[in-house]
Amino acid sequence: MMTEQKQTTDAVETKRPQQPATAPHKSKSYGWVGNTLSIAISLAIGVGGLYIYYHGQQQNAALSDKNLALQQEMAALTQQQSANKQNFDAKLQALETSLQRASSQSQQLDDRIAELRNRVSALSNTDIENWRLAQASSLVKMAGRKVWSEQDITTAIALLKDADQNLAEMDDPSLLYARKAIMADIDSLTKIKQVDLDGIILTLNQLSNQIDHLRLADKVEQATSEQADNHEITASLSDWRQNLSNSWHSFMDNFITITPRDNSKAPLLAPNQGVYLRENIRSKLLIAAQAVPRHQVKIYQGALEDVQTWVKTYFDTAYPDAENFLKEVDSLQKRPLSIDIPEQLSSQSILTELVRKRIYNLPSSKQLPSAKPLPHSKPPQTGSQSDTQPDAQSLPTTTETADDQEQTSAGEI
């Protein structure tokens, strides 16, 4: 700044000698003022420059402080960022390690779950197959009971078909021989000629409803009516002798009653005993109907024989109702109740052996089922007789009651 002022003053001084010399007084005064002004301007410029310089220095110092502070903050932030990055990297590494560990554990769990599923699937498949095999064996046994105890061929065939369906669902080629045995049993049962037991029972019920239409054989009333026809009185006066004789005979016939008797030992039935007779016949028909599904041939035949004897003894067989009734009873006596059933079911022993080996893991028995049927001593029939015998024992309660009624009615007669 000082050099600039000196240069301006030198410039002013150098310029001064070039002024015209005509006015030396004015130039002297003007030079003093100009010098003063230039000094003042130079001072002002110097002060301004100092102020500007000082202010610049202060600003530079402030900026330097700020820059230093910023550099320190930048260094601190850089250190903090580096520390955070290291911490983040450590945490990320720990998370990756835990994730790998969790992934490994998840894989192990998946493997164990898959193994358990395979085991459960194998166990459930085995259980289902064992259940189907046991059910097929049970169905065959039930079919045998139906055949031997109830002689229900239709139900037995249906049970055998269900057993074959269970074996077919197992899809096991080793069970083909068992299915062949079941089909052979079905074929043998299909060839059996069945008896219409329901038709027999319906016929017995129909006969029970026809009892009220039968007419009692009243021989006394018939003889009286014949005598009344022989002693009729006419209205002609010329027949007075015949009318008098007829009146006399009619009086004597009513005064003394003569009951004709034949050589039969059965007593005549009193008029008030007809209700008991009809009820006894109904009871016998009911006993016969109850004996049909149980295949109790003796009880069935005995009840029908009693019905036939009573109808012939106490009812007028000359009427069509009684004649048709006796024909129906005679046809029912000729109809069989039992059928020819096989002694055994070949599939039963085969399935029993399969259950022993596959479900219970028992050693095979000595009598291993083969293509030839096993000898059978009819134990199922013995069991069926024992099963039906209690029913037969429970039935005689009604039978004995009916017999007591018959004896009572016979005693009253």
Side-chain angles (χ1 to χ4, degrees):
M1 293 296 292
M2 296 298 291
T3 56
E4 291 178 357
Q5 291 178 359
K6 290 179 179 181
Q7 289 177 0
T8 54
T9 54
D10 293 335
V12 172
E13 291 178 354
T14 54
K15 289 179 179 180
R16 284 179 183 177
Q18 294 178 1
Q19 290 180 357
T22 55
H25 181 74
K26 288 182 180 180
S27 59
K28 187 179 180 179
S29 59
Y30 179 77
W32 180 79
V33 173
N35 291 330
T36 304
L37 289 173
S38 49
I39 292 169
I41 292 170
S42 299
L43 290 174
I45 291 172
V47 172
L50 290 173
Y51 176 77
I52 292 172
Y53 177 76
Y54 178 74
H55 185 68
Q57 290 295 327
Q58 288 181 349
Q59 287 182 351
N60 290 331
L63 291 174
S64 298
D65 295 337
K66 290 182 179 179
N67 190 10
L68 182 60
L70 290 175
Q71 289 179 357
Q72 291 177 354
E73 290 180 0
M74 195 72 173
L77 290 176
T78 303
Q79 292 178 358
Q80 185 177 1
Q81 183 179 5
S82 177
N84 291 335
K85 185 178 180 181
Q86 292 178 358
N87 190 13
F88 178 76
D89 291 339
K91 290 183 179 180
L92 182 61
Q93 185 67 27
L95 288 176
E96 289 179 354
T97 304
S98 61
L99 183 61
Q100 291 178 357
R101 187 182 302 169
S103 177
S104 177
Q105 292 178 356
S106 177
Q107 185 65 32
Q108 292 177 0
L109 289 176
D110 291 339
D111 295 339
R112 292 184 63 184
I113 290 173
E115 184 180 359
L116 290 175
R117 284 180 179 175
N118 293 331
R119 290 182 180 179
V120 170
S121 178
L123 290 175
S124 39
N125 290 334
T126 305
D127 291 341
I128 292 175
E129 291 180 358
N130 291 339
W131 178 79
R132 286 175 177 170
L133 181 60
Q135 187 180 19
S137 178
S138 177
L139 290 173
V140 172
K141 291 179 181 178
M142 291 174 62
R145 294 190 187 98
K146 285 291 182 180
V147 171
W148 297 313
S149 63
E150 302 178 14
Q151 296 187 0
D152 189 356
I153 305 300
T154 303
T155 305
I157 292 175
L159 292 172
L160 289 175
K161 289 182 179 179
D162 290 340
D164 181 70
Q165 181 65 28
N166 287 330
L167 296 181
E169 291 176 355
M170 293 177 65
D171 194 15
D172 190 353
S174 63
L175 299 177
L176 289 178
Y177 73 99
R179 295 188 62 190
K180 289 180 181 179
I182 292 176
M183 296 305 296
D185 292 335
I186 293 175
D187 184 65
S188 62
L189 293 178
T190 306
K191 295 178 181 179
I192 296 176
K193 185 177 181 181
Q194 302 185 24
V195 179
D196 188 10
L197 301 180
D198 295 334
I200 295 175
I201 295 174
L202 291 175
T203 303
L204 291 171
N205 293 334
Q206 186 65 27
L207 291 177
S208 179
N209 296 330
Q210 295 177 2
I211 295 174
D212 294 331
H213 302 290
L214 300 179
R215 182 174 180 179
L216 292 173
D218 194 352
K219 299 180 180 179
V220 177
E221 184 179 357
Q222 292 177 1
T224 304
S225 61
E226 291 178 357
Q227 292 179 1
D229 294 337
N230 295 330
H231 300 296
E232 292 181 356
I233 298 175
T234 63
S236 178
L237 295 176
S238 59
D239 296 335
W240 63 273
R241 291 183 179 178
Q242 185 66 30
N243 290 335
L244 181 61
S245 177
N246 291 339
S247 298
W248 173 257
H249 287 292
S250 178
F251 173 73
M252 292 301 296
D253 291 338
N254 292 329
F255 183 73
I256 300 173
T257 302
I258 300 174
T259 302
R261 296 291 300 273
D262 54 8
N263 294 328
S264 62
K265 296 181 181 181
L268 295 178
L269 186 64
N272 60 350
Q273 296 297 321
V275 177
Y276 299 105
L277 175 62
R278 297 179 192 274
E279 292 300 324
N280 285 335
I281 294 176
R282 284 195 180 92
S283 177
K284 286 294 182 180
L285 291 175
L286 177 61
I287 292 171
Q290 292 176 348
V292 170
R294 300 182 177 95
H295 305 282
Q296 299 170 344
V297 181
K298 293 183 179 179
I299 297 175
Y300 174 78
Q301 294 292 342
L304 291 182
E305 288 177 0
D306 292 339
V307 170
Q308 191 175 27
T309 302
W310 291 346
V311 171
K312 290 181 179 179
T313 302
Y314 297 106
F315 292 93
D316 190 357
T317 57
Y319 284 88
D321 292 339
E323 186 177 358
N324 293 331
F325 188 89
L326 291 175
K327 288 182 180 179
E328 290 291 340
V329 173
D330 185 62
S331 66
L332 288 175
Q333 285 181 334
K334 295 178 181 179
R335 297 179 67 175
L337 296 182
S338 60
I339 56 178
D340 295 332
I341 58 177
E343 294 183 355
Q344 69 168 357
L345 295 178
S346 59
S347 59
Q348 183 173 353
S349 58
I350 295 175
L351 290 174
T352 302
E353 187 66 24
L354 287 173
V355 169
R356 284 173 53 87
K357 292 171 60 179
R358 295 196 176 189
I359 298 179
Y360 300 107
N361 295 325
L362 297 176
S364 59
S365 60
K366 296 181 179 180
Q367 297 179 352
L368 186 64
S370 58
K372 297 182 180 180
L374 295 174
H376 189 69
S377 57
K378 298 183 180 180
Q381 292 185 356
T382 305
S384 65
Q385 292 177 0
S386 63
D387 293 339
T388 57
Q389 191 64 29
D391 297 335
Q393 292 177 358
S394 61
L395 181 62
T397 304
T398 308
T399 309
E400 293 174 359
T401 305
D403 294 338
D404 294 339
Q405 291 180 357
E406 296 164 11
Q407 294 176 1
T408 304
S409 61
E412 292 177 356
I413 295 171

